[in-house]
Amino acid sequence: MGWVYAFTETKGLGKELLGGKGFALAEMTRLGFPVPPGFTLTTEACRAYLERGAFPEGLWEEVREQVERLEAATGKRFGGGEGLPLLVSVRSGAPVSMPGMMDTILNLGLTRAGVAALAEASGNPRFAWDSYRRLVQMYGEVVLGLAAEGFERLLDRAKVLAGAERDVDLSAADLERLVAAYQEHIGAQGRTFPDDPWRQLEGAVRAVFESWNNPRARTYRRLYEIPDDLGTAVNVQAMVFGNLGDDSGTGVGFSRNPATGERGLYGEYLKNAQGEDVVAGVRTPQPLERLRESEPELYEAIADVAARLEAHFRDMQDFEFTVERGRLYLLQTRTGKRTPEAAVRIAVEMAEEGAVSREEALLRVDANTLPGLLRARIDPDRAPDPVAEGLPASPGAAVGHAVLDAETAESWAGRGLPVVLVRPETTPEDISGMYIARGILTARGGMTSHAAVVARGMGVPAVVGVAALSLNLEERSFRLGDRSFKEGDVISLDGATGRVFAGEVALSEGGSGAYLQRLLAWAEPHRKLGVRANADTPADARRARELGAEGIGLVRTEHMFFDPERIPWVRALILAETEKEEREALDRLFAFQRADFLGLLEAMDGLPVTVRLLDPPLHEFLPPLVELERKEAAGALAPGETKLLAQVRQLHEVNPMLGFRGVRLLLVRPEILRMQVEALLSATRVLREQGRDPRPELMIPLVSTAEEVEQALAVVREVFAEFDLSLPVGTMIETPRAALVAGAIAPLVDFFSFGTNDLTQLTFGISRDDAGHFLPRYLDDRTFPTDPTERLDAEAVGRLLEIAVREGRAANPGLKLGLCGEHGGEAQSVHLAHALGLDYVSASPFRVLTARLAAAQATLQLTEPQDRSSAG
């Protein structure tokens, strides 16, 4: 095995070695597409370099051999000589698509002497100096590590001095002076731009290898769970030039619309430009559709390429191209990033077109993205006039506080504030802020700019290319047309229409759509797991049923007591000193609880409803201790608060999660247990008398021993006998001990429901509420491969589940098994539940869609997240 392969000699090699970009370039070359010649330094070479801190032995001998072959193929000389010099692009290409996260350098090999040769041979001095200034700037940023802002300030100054609005308006002389300014700037930073093409190439390859571990790439891999040990390939390719004049240009195309999924050529084109101009968003390009009239032959050629690429790779393709003096060249293709809406439509339509099977279509949609289809939209009937409009880059509505950089976005979002990231244009360094933001707004860039592509991949609403947006980063302010805003002001944006609004705009609920309904209908025959919802109100129950929930797997009855009208009666129960006071409070709470149960059971008529008995510590219903003690110190306690303070002190716990809650509370205060069971049975009887079919199930929370279950059941059975009515009774397995003694508990109950929220916390010894102090660092460093509070830990928590399933069913073959933690709405956790042989999972209403699709995918043997970038 070698370190370097020409695009023409890669038969049998896959993207794990060539990277997605190198694999696609080789494949397109083999198929006869117009691809400039080049070669790939493998991911193995990258891994070897990163491990040793030096290029592996023999690498540069192979590179020199490949450069000689490029010289022969192009008739040009690397480093100059007579005629056109051979210039190359140096691009990263990881096995998994990471758009914009690593580094690229264009026009490499151009030297001071080469500029003159290029100007003479091309007959276009402006083109030669434009190519050189691009190289110096990119090399300065990527290899020498200088900030982009320094070069951008010099470019802006050059335009001012020349009276030019755009960089394309700068003359050859203007660009020559700009290059001199760049060189001076580099020197002032203690750096040197090399005039030797081989030193340029070595520095560029080194920089691309090292960019695998730059902060933005590491953040992207963490967000998308890409392994750290893949490495990146490097693709060295003969340059073709889109900046030769108006008969040249560069563009990005899609074989289908990445925002909506609509079939047909979609993309953008920028005349007299190089590829980075489009991707970086520094100039706003024109839609490809305009070429249909202005340059119909070029349009048809691009459309033909799009159709052929999609047919070969069997998925929507995102491809980059350059036009050099009227001739089309392809520089890249990959499976395109898309919104959740587009992903569903593309999968369904490609199956209906016969391009893929229905099973493959099911596996192509990331189930975790489906809740995004239900996100709110701007209500057109209640929306005010927009203050600005741009390009609708990623659909959905966003309302939040405007923040002007990624760091502020992270900080404010960490305090629970919704934010909209507002930038001139986004760069890969903004990735963490983009991920956390509710929406993204940029002044520059088109539908294929970095902001648009990344936002669509994340499912974040975005509006880009807003010409009326101007920012003053020093004063932390911005303008939208005639309106002035400061950082922190609330704005709203509509990623489906491109409209931007001042303040908070009314939103309307989204819908799942016909394409999703077709996809889920195909999924149903494959799904083995049942899917229920976690719901505490009739409205949530009805919504969950509309989305396909087959019952309620968790009703958290404590949520019914936190209503302002009810808390006083809970406090009255806690503070009761006589049997009469206690009875009065219980009767009022019984009435509230009975009404709630009636609504839930009616909404889920004919379907199971699992009611968890009261779980939280009693002190949560009382005022905070610190608040009362502050009033006591100030002598400001109101009448009756002295008694309240004493009770709060008595109930105060250092670690309430491990304290007086769940079954412990119910056994010490059995009157609460009895009241809840009576309310549930009373509601059930009323509905049965009305001819309805309520199917409640009773669940005992936070058990650790079989004895706790037996004592609780003794009270429950007394109430059953009084009502001459019985229900299925189960227990929540949410402590490690309960899982380990499941064989002793199972014969006592009808079902287990795994409460994986608490089971995860107790297994890891962490608190969901407090883990924010260390969890981000753990995830960045891969101390934890994923957040265990979001995705079920298979290694340890999964092992506890496996023990409980095996021993529980051995002791009680008819035992029904469910999972009702938040993990029930996360795709990989659903796959684990399927593998363990559970009967159902339960998720929040909006994540029912995820659970339904993920359950079908689990049956179809999808064992890891679908790779959306097979050619990327």
Side-chain angles (χ1 to χ4, degrees):
M1 296 288 289
W3 300 114
V4 185
Y5 294 89
F7 298 160
T8 55
E9 57 186 16
T10 58
K11 186 176 181 179
L13 302 181
K15 65 176 181 176
E16 70 284 349
L17 189 66
L18 299 174
K21 190 173 297 181
F23 175 80
L25 285 166
E27 192 74 353
M28 288 192 294
T29 299
R30 184 182 68 80
L31 294 169
F33 284 96
V35 176
F39 56 89
T40 300
L41 288 75
T42 64
T43 58
E44 188 176 328
C46 175
R47 292 191 293 271
Y49 172 84
L50 294 175
E51 181 179 338
R52 305 170 194 177
F55 292 117
E57 186 177 350
L59 174 70
W60 281 100
E61 288 76 3
E62 294 183 41
V63 169
R64 286 183 179 274
E65 179 184 339
Q66 292 291 350
V67 170
E68 290 174 2
R69 293 169 66 175
L70 273 186
E71 290 176 327
T74 62
K76 302 174 184 177
R77 177 76 182 274
F78 190 58
E82 295 185 3
L84 283 169
L86 172 62
L87 306 184
V88 296
S89 62
V90 179
R91 298 174 184 262
S92 62
V96 178
S97 180
M98 297 169 58
M101 291 303 109
M102 291 177 295
D103 293 322
T104 294
I105 298 177
L106 304 179
N107 308 316
L108 191 136
L110 193 55
T111 63
R112 191 83 184 183
V115 175
L118 185 61
E120 183 178 351
S122 65
N124 189 337
R126 190 208 172 276
F127 152 69
W129 282 104
D130 184 49
S131 299
Y132 194 43
R133 72 95 183 168
R134 291 171 182 271
L135 169 62
V136 175
Q137 179 171 349
M138 296 176 101
Y139 197 93
E141 293 174 17
V142 172
V143 181
L144 302 180
L146 302 181
E149 288 79 3
F151 294 102
E152 290 300 327
R153 280 197 298 270
L154 292 172
L155 177 57
D156 289 340
R157 190 177 72 179
K159 287 190 283 189
V160 170
L161 292 174
E165 291 187 12
R166 303 170 301 163
D167 51 359
V168 293
D169 298 324
L170 294 172
S171 68
D174 295 329
L175 291 166
E176 184 175 2
R177 285 190 292 270
L178 178 59
V179 169
Y182 280 179
Q183 298 276 22
E184 184 178 340
H185 172 67
I186 291 171
Q189 308 300 313
R191 307 285 201 279
T192 302
F193 174 76
D195 203 42
D196 178 346
W198 286 102
R199 283 184 58 203
Q200 293 176 12
L201 183 57
E202 180 180 330
V205 171
R206 189 188 305 275
V208 173
F209 280 164
E210 291 176 354
S211 72
W212 176 253
N213 283 327
N214 69 33
R216 64 178 185 264
R218 292 182 63 85
T219 297
Y220 190 92
R221 291 200 297 274
R222 175 176 62 79
L223 295 177
Y224 288 94
E225 299 179 23
I226 299 169
D228 282 330
D229 59 359
L230 298 180
T232 181
V234 177
N235 299 288
V236 180
Q237 190 173 18
M239 283 291 302
V240 288
F241 300 99
N243 57 332
L244 277 166
D246 285 343
D247 61 350
S248 304
T250 186
V252 176
F254 296 83
S255 57
R256 301 183 189 231
N257 188 314
T260 67
E262 183 179 0
R263 186 178 185 181
L265 179 62
Y266 178 88
E268 293 175 324
Y269 181 67
L270 194 57
K271 285 188 175 184
N272 198 16
Q274 290 196 330
E276 290 303 299
D277 296 336
V278 176
V279 177
V282 296
R283 290 165 57 191
T284 300
Q286 63 175 336
L288 278 177
E289 186 65 24
R290 291 189 187 173
L291 290 177
R292 188 193 290 269
E293 294 185 4
S294 62
E295 299 181 58
E297 291 185 7
L298 176 59
Y299 178 86
E300 290 302 323
I302 297 170
D304 178 63
V305 160
R308 290 168 59 200
L309 287 173
E310 179 174 290
H312 177 74
F313 289 106
R314 300 176 61 250
D315 204 347
M316 184 265 277
Q317 292 298 292
D318 163 4
F319 58 97
E320 295 179 17
F321 63 90
T322 285
V323 177
E324 181 182 275
R325 289 180 170 161
R327 185 175 178 185
L328 176 66
Y329 294 91
L330 293 182
L331 307 181
Q332 173 179 330
T333 192
R334 61 188 174 193
T335 298
K337 300 291 183 183
R338 62 203 75 182
T339 64
E341 292 91 338
V344 170
R345 179 172 178 175
I346 290 169
V348 169
E349 289 192 337
M350 291 193 78
E352 292 175 342
E353 293 161 9
V356 300
S357 67
R358 287 186 174 183
E359 290 75 16
E360 189 172 354
L362 288 169
L363 295 179
R364 284 189 171 189
V365 176
D366 181 352
N368 282 332
T369 67
L370 295 189
L373 298 177
L374 305 175
R375 61 191 168 205
R377 269 70 167 170
I378 296 288
D379 187 339
D381 295 329
R382 292 186 287 166
D385 292 334
V387 294
E389 293 193 36
L391 299 175
S394 184
V399 179
H401 299 272
V403 293
L404 305 187
D405 58 56
E407 185 177 352
T408 306
E410 290 186 88
S411 173
W412 289 26
R415 304 202 310 266
L417 294 173
V419 298
V420 173
L421 181 63
V422 182
R423 298 287 291 154
E425 71 268 343
T426 63
T427 68
E429 281 73 18
D430 294 318
I431 185 70
S432 58
M434 298 174 74
Y435 186 79
I436 206 76
R438 297 285 180 88
I440 298 165
L441 179 67
T442 70
R444 296 191 290 269
M447 297 290 284
T448 55
S449 65
H450 176 268
V453 171
V454 174
R456 283 194 293 267
M458 291 179 170
V460 176
V463 176
V464 302
V466 180
L469 170 62
S470 60
L471 292 92
N472 187 326
L473 298 179
E474 289 75 21
E475 295 183 4
R476 311 303 291 178
S477 64
F478 61 97
R479 294 183 64 83
L480 284 166
D482 297 332
R483 297 283 297 273
S484 296
F485 299 83
K486 62 180 183 297
E487 187 169 47
D489 287 346
V490 173
I491 62 172
S492 304
L493 59 85
D494 186 347
T497 65
R499 296 183 298 169
V500 185
F501 305 89
E504 183 174 351
V505 174
L507 304 180
S508 60
E509 194 174 84
S512 55
Y515 290 102
L516 179 60
Q517 294 309 314
R518 298 217 287 278
L519 187 78
L520 291 173
W522 299 346
E524 288 304 297
H526 300 286
R527 179 164 64 86
K528 307 302 181 189
L529 275 173
V531 175
R532 300 188 188 182
N534 301 337
D536 310 318
T537 67
D540 282 348
R542 287 190 290 271
R543 182 61 168 147
R545 189 165 190 163
E546 291 169 2
L547 296 173
E550 300 162 321
I552 296 178
L554 176 63
V555 176
R556 291 156 289 209
T557 54
E558 61 272 10
H559 287 192
M560 301 170 175
F561 290 134
F562 286 121
D563 184 279
E565 181 186 2
R566 303 179 182 194
I567 282 183
W569 291 103
V570 180
R571 290 179 179 173
L573 174 64
I574 296 170
L575 301 174
E577 294 182 338
T578 67
E579 186 176 336
K580 180 182 178 183
E581 289 175 344
E582 180 182 276
R583 188 70 259 163
E584 182 182 9
L586 285 170
D587 287 347
R588 292 301 297 265
L589 294 175
F590 169 88
F592 291 137
Q593 195 93 102
R594 180 176 179 270
D596 291 331
F597 291 148
L598 281 168
L600 281 167
L601 293 171
E602 188 174 10
M604 280 290 172
D605 193 55
L607 297 175
V609 176
T610 304
V611 176
R612 182 180 73 185
L613 296 168
L614 194 64
D615 186 41
L618 287 181
H619 80 87
E620 289 193 6
F621 296 101
L622 299 176
L625 177 61
V626 65
E627 177 183 311
L628 290 173
E629 288 185 334
R630 188 180 297 117
K631 293 178 73 174
E632 180 188 39
L637 285 175
E641 286 189 334
T642 300
K643 174 182 168 183
L644 180 62
L645 174 58
Q647 190 68 48
V648 171
R649 281 175 171 153
Q650 180 182 339
L651 291 172
H652 177 71
E653 297 175 281
V654 174
N655 190 342
M657 189 185 85
L658 301 179
F660 187 38
R661 56 173 284 216
V663 70
R664 304 158 193 167
L665 170 64
L666 299 173
L667 294 181
V668 173
R669 301 289 301 268
E671 65 276 10
I672 298 175
L673 168 58
R674 173 178 285 274
M675 178 274 294
Q676 287 197 287
V677 179
E678 288 174 348
L680 182 59
L681 291 178
S682 178
T684 302
R685 173 176 289 171
V686 167
L687 291 173
R688 287 183 178 176
E689 289 173 352
Q690 294 175 359
R692 297 183 180 274
D693 183 19
R695 299 186 184 183
E697 303 174 342
L698 197 64
M699 183 158 67
I700 305 168
L702 205 74
V703 302
S704 295
T705 70
E707 290 75 14
E708 288 174 317
V709 178
E710 288 177 332
Q711 291 179 38
L713 283 173
V715 178
V716 169
R717 289 184 183 123
E718 286 180 9
V719 183
F720 283 178
E722 293 169 8
F723 276 76
D724 192 23
L725 187 63
S726 64
L727 308 174
V729 180
T731 185
M732 207 166 181
I733 303 295
E734 50 190 326
T735 71
R737 191 182 194 282
L740 294 171
V741 299
I745 297 173
L748 305 173
V749 296
D750 300 300
F751 66 88
F752 285 167
S753 182
F754 293 104
T756 53
N757 294 350
D758 272 351
L759 187 58
T760 295
Q761 293 186 95
L762 293 169
T763 301
F764 276 84
I766 63 176
S767 163
R768 291 170 66 98
D769 299 321
D770 300 319
H773 295 295
F774 69 89
L775 195 53
R777 170 72 178 273
Y778 266 44
L779 295 173
D780 283 340
D781 294 346
R782 300 296 178 104
T783 306
F784 288 173
T786 59
D787 183 346
T789 68
E790 293 183 0
R791 174 168 297 176
L792 196 55
D793 166 56
E795 187 175 8
V797 181
R799 188 176 179 190
L800 287 171
L801 295 181
E802 190 275 330
I803 292 169
V805 169
R806 184 180 67 246
E807 297 186 4
R809 281 204 167 129
N812 180 356
L815 188 70
K816 185 170 59 180
L817 299 169
L819 186 154
C820 64
E822 286 301 312
H823 302 98
E826 194 282 320
Q828 295 307 304
S829 304
V830 173
H831 298 162
L832 179 58
H834 171 88
L836 289 168
L838 303 189
D839 294 302
Y840 67 87
V841 294
S842 190
S844 60
F846 286 127
R847 299 177 80 184
V848 164
L849 298 176
T850 290
R852 289 175 62 191
L853 179 58
Q857 291 173 336
T859 305
L860 292 169
Q861 304 303 309
L862 183 66
T863 57
E864 57 185 47
Q866 180 73 8
D867 181 0
R868 301 295 321 141
S869 53
S870 59

